[in-house]
Amino acid sequence: MRPSGSRVELYAAIRRDARAGKSARAIQREYRVSWTTVHKALGSAWPSERKHYPERGSKIDDYREVIDGWLRADLTAPHKQRHTAKRIFDRLREEHRAEVSYSRVRAYVSVRRGEILAESGRAPVEVFVPQSHRPGDEAEVDFGDVVIELRGQPVTCTLFSLRLSFSGRAVHRVFLSAGQEAFLEGHVHAVEVLGGVPFGRIRYDNLKSAVSAVLGLSRHRVENDRWVAFRSHYGIEAFYCQPGVQGAHEKGGVEGQIGWFRRNHFVPVPQVESIAELNAMIDKWDADDLDRRIGSRVRTVGELFTVEAPLLLPLPEAAFETGRWFNLRVDRHSQITVRTNRYSVPVRFAGRQIRVQLHASHLEVYCDRQLVATHERLPGKAETRLELDHYLEILLRKPGALPGSTALEQARAAGRFTPVHDAWWAAARKTHGDAAGTRDLIGVLLAHRHLPHELVVIGLARALAAGALTADAVVLEARKAAEDSTSEQSDEDHEADAEAVASMTARRLTTLPTDSRPLPSVAAYDVLLRTPRKDTASL
């Protein structure tokens, strides 16, 4: 029977049956599709674009609020005196003269009643039953919040965790956002570290990255198409927990794991310069945690994972592209807007159409398939990140715009525009004037593109001490500093080699007897010197 929902779900079902060994002809009969559809589904988890038609309205749309009001009133009504679908249908016909069909009313009530019950937070009393897990069968996924100090500023980040239920091995990853990009990138990192995918199912709550709509209190969900394609690509079977706190116990393993990991590795608060640096630390923590024992278990996490690893499903040959593409136009401020945040690009692309690939913690800007800019993703909303280097060409023609520019302010805050830059700039403006001195500074900033930042700062300090207030002088001093560091390194290597190799000459001199002969003299040759001629000028 053909599954309900989007074509992505159909493709996922076809690919799942094909992996199970079902023939193409059997799949055609079961889902009532053509051979072409089966062939396309096996070739790609993402179906080709199909023309979308606007959704047709329904007569029941005008009475949704009325029906919802009756269903909410049922929450406090006696159990045996609540509305049935038939009673709601009759009241609509009698009190509102509504020309709606009973099937439409019944379908709407069957879904909406459960949603209203879930919104009210009501749930029956449940009994918890202890569970056992087979090796390689199940895993759990969840997000948690952690606070870090990123370049000296407190930032709330998202901690992704995928935990294998049998061994308890967990893989973690920190992202600046909790969007779908982080959700997918976390999965890719986790399955690559583990070396495979559980052959059973992975438990999830109702994250917006995966679920578009929760259909009442049942397990049925309307999944996001991109998530369905991702699951189909890696062969992941999803199991969704009940909405709200009622379903928290259904993935208690990963929720407890996130709390344990946060208490043991994020106390005190980590101080890092980048998210990549933090994730490198997390990879080491995950590897170290393989030696711990969970609760009263006899064997460690690593020993249990050794049993579980061979049973995981192999990974596909090609990785799934987790980044999301956007086609944007650069405005007259040489900026683009991505998810309410603004980022700068080089001024030569102002007014042009560019492509942006958005990842969980960074974004890349392309023009004509060439990477032209990279930014760390902003964690908040309506924020701006500008690179001073992107505006240098226009500042050469408008030097007066540099002192009050936002890009300069952000460069100072990030430590890329140092007090040495400011001191040299002030001296250059005093000597050459504001415009000429600022242009000389911009020439120094352009040197950052081909010289390391530390060497340029050294060049600025040396040029300022010598009173050399031109960009050429700064570049010359920076190159001298590079040569000095290279020569010092070579001298240190030479001294180390000399200490490592024994000198045979020094060794022989220590065994020779003392020489008692007198020092040589040339006094006997003084008789050969000519007698100085008399000065005839005095005669």
Side-chain angles (χ1 to χ4, degrees):
M1 183 176 180
R2 184 167 182 168
S4 60
S6 67
R7 296 179 66 212
V8 179
E9 294 175 336
L10 172 63
Y11 275 39
I14 293 173
R15 291 168 64 90
R16 181 181 62 246
D17 290 350
R19 281 194 296 267
K22 188 175 292 187
S23 67
R25 188 171 294 278
I27 294 175
Q28 288 179 245
R29 288 196 301 267
E30 180 175 354
Y31 296 113
R32 299 176 184 175
V33 296
S34 65
W35 179 89
T36 303
T37 302
V38 175
H39 179 71
K40 289 181 179 180
L42 296 180
S44 172
W46 195 260
S48 57
E49 289 292 335
R50 177 183 288 182
K51 185 177 180 180
H52 297 284
Y53 295 93
E55 295 184 0
R56 296 177 58 187
S58 173
K59 294 181 180 179
I60 203 173
D61 293 341
D62 298 332
Y63 307 98
R64 290 177 184 270
E65 295 183 1
V66 175
I67 298 175
D68 290 353
W70 293 341
L71 294 176
R72 290 192 179 94
D74 282 348
L75 296 175
T76 57
H79 181 72
K80 295 184 178 180
Q81 294 176 245
R82 297 177 182 175
H83 286 83
T84 63
K86 179 64 167 59
R87 180 56 184 153
I88 291 177
F89 171 73
D90 291 337
R91 289 190 64 182
L92 289 174
R93 299 292 294 269
E94 294 171 4
E95 299 176 14
H96 296 273
R97 299 292 188 265
E99 297 181 359
V100 294
S101 65
Y102 173 70
S103 60
R104 285 282 186 179
V105 174
R106 182 180 59 186
Y108 179 80
V109 172
S110 64
V111 174
R112 192 63 182 134
R113 190 194 301 277
E115 293 177 348
I116 290 177
L117 184 62
E119 293 169 1
S120 68
R122 296 192 177 187
V125 177
E126 297 181 83
V127 177
F128 303 137
V129 180
Q131 300 291 303
S132 297
H133 305 282
R134 296 181 299 169
D137 184 23
E138 284 193 358
E140 300 170 349
V141 167
D142 202 4
F143 276 133
D145 291 335
V146 291
V147 177
I148 66 172
E149 284 195 16
L150 183 61
R151 293 183 287 274
Q153 299 294 327
V155 177
T156 301
C157 300
T158 299
L159 176 65
F160 173 91
S161 178
L162 186 148
R163 180 182 184 272
L164 295 175
S165 301
F166 173 76
S167 64
R169 179 172 185 183
V171 181
H172 303 85
R173 202 73 169 169
V174 163
F175 301 101
L176 287 172
S177 70
Q180 190 179 64
E181 297 82 15
F183 186 63
L184 301 184
E185 287 183 26
H187 277 82
V188 172
H189 174 71
V191 298
E192 288 179 352
V193 171
L194 298 174
V197 180
F199 63 82
R201 58 189 182 181
I202 300 180
R203 294 174 178 264
Y204 301 91
D205 56 16
N206 301 282
L207 297 168
K208 292 184 178 180
S209 301
V211 176
S212 300
V214 179
L215 304 181
L217 296 178
S218 67
R219 301 287 181 184
H220 300 294
R221 303 290 186 268
V222 177
E223 295 180 309
N224 183 285
D225 283 351
R226 189 171 175 80
W227 167 239
V228 174
F230 181 87
R231 288 199 304 104
S232 175
H233 183 82
Y234 285 98
I236 294 175
E237 293 296 330
F239 176 87
Y240 296 105
C241 302
Q242 294 185 14
V245 296
Q246 295 86 353
H249 68 279
E250 296 183 343
K251 55 177 182 60
V254 71
E255 292 192 351
Q257 168 65 31
I258 289 178
W260 181 92
F261 193 83
R262 187 163 41 202
R263 290 189 299 271
N264 285 270
H265 296 301
F266 283 81
V267 178
V269 176
Q271 300 179 5
V272 295
E273 293 297 317
S274 65
I275 295 298
E277 178 185 348
L278 178 60
N279 281 325
M281 297 166 57
I282 289 176
D283 291 340
K284 183 180 181 301
W285 295 339
D286 284 340
D288 295 341
D289 290 342
L290 294 177
D291 296 329
R292 75 182 182 97
R293 289 180 173 84
I294 298 176
S296 59
R297 294 184 180 184
V298 178
R299 304 169 73 180
T300 65
V301 172
E303 292 171 344
L304 293 174
F305 179 70
T306 303
V307 178
E308 193 169 28
L311 302 177
L312 299 176
L313 297 177
L315 299 177
E317 295 181 0
F320 190 91
E321 179 54 66
T322 58
R324 175 161 293 189
W325 287 98
F326 297 90
N327 292 319
L328 304 174
R329 182 172 293 278
V330 184
D331 64 15
R332 62 179 180 175
H333 300 285
S334 194
Q335 297 174 20
I336 55 175
T337 302
V338 183
R339 297 279 178 84
T340 75
N341 291 321
R342 298 175 65 81
Y343 303 88
S344 66
V345 298
V347 293
R348 65 181 182 274
F349 299 105
R352 296 186 60 180
Q353 192 82 12
I354 51 92
R355 297 197 74 198
V356 177
Q357 189 175 32
L358 180 65
H359 297 274
S361 297
H362 72 282
L363 59 90
E364 298 172 345
V365 182
Y366 292 87
C367 184
D368 297 332
R369 300 184 180 180
Q370 179 184 3
L371 180 64
V372 297
T374 302
H375 287 280
E376 186 178 82
R377 186 167 174 175
L378 290 166
K381 293 184 177 181
E383 297 181 356
T384 303
R385 172 159 290 152
L386 306 180
E387 289 289 340
L388 181 58
D389 181 74
H390 293 165
Y391 294 92
L392 295 182
E393 284 80 4
I394 192 65
L395 288 173
L396 280 173
R397 294 191 290 109
K398 299 180 179 181
L402 178 61
S405 62
T406 305
L408 177 61
E409 180 184 352
Q410 293 189 6
R412 281 198 180 102
R416 293 189 295 272
F417 195 90
T418 64
V420 180
H421 287 80
D422 274 317
W424 191 92
W425 185 18
R429 284 188 295 176
K430 184 177 180 180
T431 302
H432 306 299
D434 289 342
T438 301
R439 287 193 178 94
D440 283 330
L441 173 69
I442 296 171
V444 173
L445 297 177
L446 288 170
H448 281 283
R449 295 181 179 179
H450 57 272
L451 289 174
H453 180 269
E454 297 78 9
L455 293 180
V456 176
V457 174
I458 294 174
L460 281 168
R462 292 182 178 180
L464 181 62
L469 302 176
T470 62
D472 292 339
V474 174
V475 173
L476 179 61
E477 292 295 337
R479 289 175 177 170
K480 286 182 179 180
E483 294 174 357
D484 293 343
S485 62
T486 304
S487 61
E488 290 176 2
Q489 183 65 32
S490 62
D491 291 342
E492 292 176 0
D493 295 341
H494 180 70
E495 292 176 1
D497 294 340
E499 293 176 358
V501 179
S503 173
M504 298 302 295
T505 303
R507 192 173 172 186
R508 291 191 186 100
L509 290 175
T510 57
T511 61
L512 292 176
T514 305
D515 190 358
S516 60
R517 293 177 296 177
L519 293 174
S521 175
V522 296
Y525 295 94
D526 290 344
V527 297
L528 299 178
L529 296 176
R530 291 183 178 182
T531 303
R533 292 188 301 175
K534 294 181 179 180
D535 189 1
T536 59
S538 61
L539 295 179

